[in-house]
Amino acid sequence: MASNNRNSNTLVIPQASAALKQLKYEVAQELGIQIPQDGYYGYMATRDTGAIGGYITRRLVQIAEEQLAGRFGR
């Protein structure tokens, strides 16, 4: 498959795409990692891409926990 976008993850809420992309850039900036402008991650170190993904996951869990705490009260 010669596709430029090999992401097979499907979003449950497609409108969240822009927010997730923004979160990716914010996390990368916080970590001091430059995201390629052309969108090709092949030349990036696996450690860097893994760090970005890990921090995004932590941030999403934190957001979900805060929403659940607000919904159910602590």
Side-chain angles (χ1 to χ4, degrees):
M1 184 184 267
S3 174
N4 213 8
N5 183 3
R6 296 183 180 181
N7 186 354
S8 62
N9 296 331
T10 341
L11 295 177
V12 175
I13 302 172
Q15 296 82 356
S17 180
L20 288 171
K21 189 172 187 176
Q22 178 64 32
L23 182 59
K24 175 175 58 177
Y25 282 98
E26 288 175 15
V27 167
Q29 184 176 20
E30 289 174 16
L31 295 174
I33 300 170
Q34 182 68 34
I35 292 183
Q37 294 299 317
D38 63 1
Y40 178 68
Y41 291 84
Y43 298 120
M44 287 185 68
T46 304
R47 178 182 206 138
D48 290 343
T49 57
I52 293 170
Y55 276 87
I56 287 173
T57 302
R58 287 186 193 120
R59 184 83 57 87
L60 291 173
V61 168
Q62 179 185 13
I63 291 168
E65 287 176 343
E66 290 170 358
Q67 288 179 351
L68 286 172
R71 185 179 300 171
F72 297 108
R74 284 191 178 193

